[in-house]
Amino acid sequence: MISCTRRIEWDAMHRIPRHESVCKAYHGHRYSADITCTAPLDELGRVVDFGVIRDRVGGWIQARWDHTAILMEGDPDPSAAVVAEANARNGKPVYWMPAPPTAENLAAELGRVAGELLADTGVTVTRVRVWETPNCYADWSAA
Ligand SMILES: [Zn+2]
Protein backbone atom coordinates (compact mmCIF):
# COMPACT_ATOMS: atom_id res chain seq x y z
CA MET A 1 0.00 0.00 0.00
CA ILE A 2 1.26 3.47 -0.88
CA SER A 3 0.71 6.51 1.29
CA CYS A 4 1.22 10.23 0.83
CA THR A 5 1.84 12.89 3.45
CA ARG A 6 1.09 16.61 3.46
CA ARG A 7 2.69 18.96 6.00
CA ILE A 8 0.62 21.82 7.41
CA GLU A 9 1.99 24.48 9.75
CA TRP A 10 0.38 26.98 12.09
CA ASP A 11 1.06 29.22 15.08
CA ALA A 12 -0.79 28.88 18.35
CA MET A 13 -0.59 29.37 22.09
CA HIS A 14 -1.41 26.78 24.72
CA ARG A 15 -0.73 25.80 28.27
CA ILE A 16 -0.91 22.47 30.09
CA PRO A 17 -2.85 22.82 33.36
CA ARG A 18 -1.14 21.09 36.32
CA HIS A 19 2.10 20.62 34.34
CA GLU A 20 5.09 20.10 36.65
CA SER A 21 7.18 22.77 34.98
CA VAL A 22 7.18 25.63 32.47
CA CYS A 23 4.40 24.24 30.24
CA LYS A 24 1.77 25.45 32.70
CA ALA A 25 2.57 29.01 31.58
CA TYR A 26 1.01 30.34 28.38
CA HIS A 27 3.48 29.95 25.53
CA GLY A 28 3.45 29.60 21.77
CA HIS A 29 4.64 27.10 19.18
CA ARG A 30 5.14 26.97 15.45
CA TYR A 31 3.29 23.68 15.10
CA SER A 32 3.44 21.40 12.15
CA ALA A 33 1.36 18.36 11.32
CA ASP A 34 2.14 15.61 8.85
CA ILE A 35 -1.13 14.15 7.54
CA THR A 36 -0.61 10.68 6.04
CA CYS A 37 -3.26 9.18 3.76
CA THR A 38 -3.50 5.76 2.18
CA ALA A 39 -5.66 4.57 -0.73
CA PRO A 40 -5.36 2.71 -4.01
CA LEU A 41 -3.74 4.99 -6.59
CA ASP A 42 -6.07 6.87 -8.92
CA GLU A 43 -5.70 6.92 -12.71
CA LEU A 44 -3.14 9.73 -12.41
CA GLY A 45 -1.02 7.72 -9.96
CA ARG A 46 -1.99 9.58 -6.78
CA VAL A 47 -3.31 8.55 -3.37
CA VAL A 48 -5.05 11.93 -3.30
CA ASP A 49 -4.03 15.32 -4.64
CA PHE A 50 -1.82 17.04 -2.07
CA GLY A 51 -3.92 20.18 -2.61
CA VAL A 52 -7.02 18.42 -1.33
CA ILE A 53 -5.30 17.73 2.00
CA ARG A 54 -4.00 21.33 2.08
CA ASP A 55 -7.41 22.82 1.32
CA ARG A 56 -9.54 20.66 3.61
CA VAL A 57 -7.31 19.89 6.59
CA GLY A 58 -5.18 23.03 6.24
CA GLY A 59 -8.33 25.11 5.90
CA TRP A 60 -9.77 23.59 9.06
CA ILE A 61 -6.53 24.29 10.92
CA GLN A 62 -6.32 27.87 9.67
CA ALA A 63 -9.90 28.51 10.79
CA ARG A 64 -9.67 26.88 14.22
CA TRP A 65 -6.09 26.45 15.45
CA ASP A 66 -4.00 29.16 13.77
CA HIS A 67 -3.25 32.42 15.62
CA THR A 68 -5.33 31.57 18.65
CA ALA A 69 -5.07 29.63 21.90
CA ILE A 70 -5.74 25.89 22.16
CA LEU A 71 -6.88 25.31 25.72
CA MET A 72 -8.45 22.60 27.86
CA GLU A 73 -12.16 22.85 28.65
CA GLY A 74 -12.46 23.61 32.34
CA ASP A 75 -8.96 25.10 32.58
CA PRO A 76 -8.89 26.08 36.25
CA ASP A 77 -6.85 29.25 35.72
CA PRO A 78 -9.23 32.26 35.71
CA SER A 79 -7.10 33.85 32.98
CA ALA A 80 -8.40 31.28 30.47
CA ALA A 81 -11.78 33.03 30.37
CA VAL A 82 -10.02 36.37 29.79
CA VAL A 83 -7.99 34.92 26.93
CA ALA A 84 -11.18 33.41 25.47
CA GLU A 85 -13.03 36.72 25.62
CA ALA A 86 -10.13 38.63 24.07
CA ASN A 87 -9.56 36.19 21.23
CA ALA A 88 -13.28 35.96 20.44
CA ARG A 89 -13.42 39.76 20.31
CA ASN A 90 -10.44 39.71 17.94
CA GLY A 91 -11.96 37.16 15.61
CA LYS A 92 -9.84 34.18 16.67
CA PRO A 93 -11.92 32.21 19.20
CA VAL A 94 -10.09 29.87 21.54
CA TYR A 95 -10.25 26.21 20.51
CA TRP A 96 -11.35 24.20 23.53
CA MET A 97 -10.05 20.64 23.84
CA PRO A 98 -11.75 18.00 26.00
CA ALA A 99 -8.27 17.01 27.21
CA PRO A 100 -5.01 18.87 27.90
CA PRO A 101 -3.69 20.37 24.63
CA THR A 102 -0.54 18.27 24.41
CA ALA A 103 0.98 17.26 21.07
CA GLU A 104 -0.46 13.79 21.72
CA ASN A 105 -4.00 15.06 22.15
CA LEU A 106 -3.70 17.46 19.21
CA ALA A 107 -2.58 14.54 17.03
CA ALA A 108 -5.59 12.49 18.15
CA GLU A 109 -8.00 15.38 17.56
CA LEU A 110 -6.54 16.05 14.12
CA GLY A 111 -6.62 12.36 13.25
CA ARG A 112 -10.35 12.28 13.97
CA VAL A 113 -11.05 15.57 12.15
CA ALA A 114 -8.90 14.78 9.10
CA GLY A 115 -10.68 11.46 8.70
CA GLU A 116 -14.03 13.25 8.60
CA LEU A 117 -12.80 16.00 6.26
CA LEU A 118 -11.36 13.51 3.76
CA ALA A 119 -13.98 10.77 4.11
CA ASP A 120 -15.59 11.38 0.71
CA THR A 121 -12.25 11.15 -1.13
CA GLY A 122 -11.89 7.45 -0.42
CA VAL A 123 -8.60 7.80 1.46
CA THR A 124 -7.89 6.51 4.94
CA VAL A 125 -5.98 8.87 7.22
CA THR A 126 -3.51 6.40 8.68
CA ARG A 127 -1.24 8.68 10.68
CA VAL A 128 -1.09 12.22 12.00
CA ARG A 129 2.22 13.43 13.36
CA VAL A 130 2.09 16.71 15.28
CA TRP A 131 5.38 18.51 15.77
CA GLU A 132 5.31 20.79 18.80
CA THR A 133 8.95 21.81 18.42
CA PRO A 134 11.61 20.91 15.84
CA ASN A 135 12.69 18.11 18.22
CA CYS A 136 9.41 16.76 19.62
CA TYR A 137 6.44 15.14 17.95
CA ALA A 138 3.54 12.84 18.80
CA ASP A 139 1.86 10.34 16.50
CA TRP A 140 -1.75 9.29 16.20
CA SER A 141 -2.35 6.17 14.12
CA ALA A 142 -5.55 4.67 12.78
CA ALA A 143 -6.51 1.59 14.78
ZN1 LIG B 1 3.95 23.87 24.60
Side-chain angles (χ1 to χ4, degrees), residues 12-16 22-29 31 101-103 132-133:
M13 177 178 89
H14 76 161
R15 77 177 208 99
I16 308 301
V22 295
C23 293
K24 64 177 174 279
Y26 290 106
H27 63 282
H29 292 288
Y31 285 99
T102 56
E132 188 170 271
T133 75

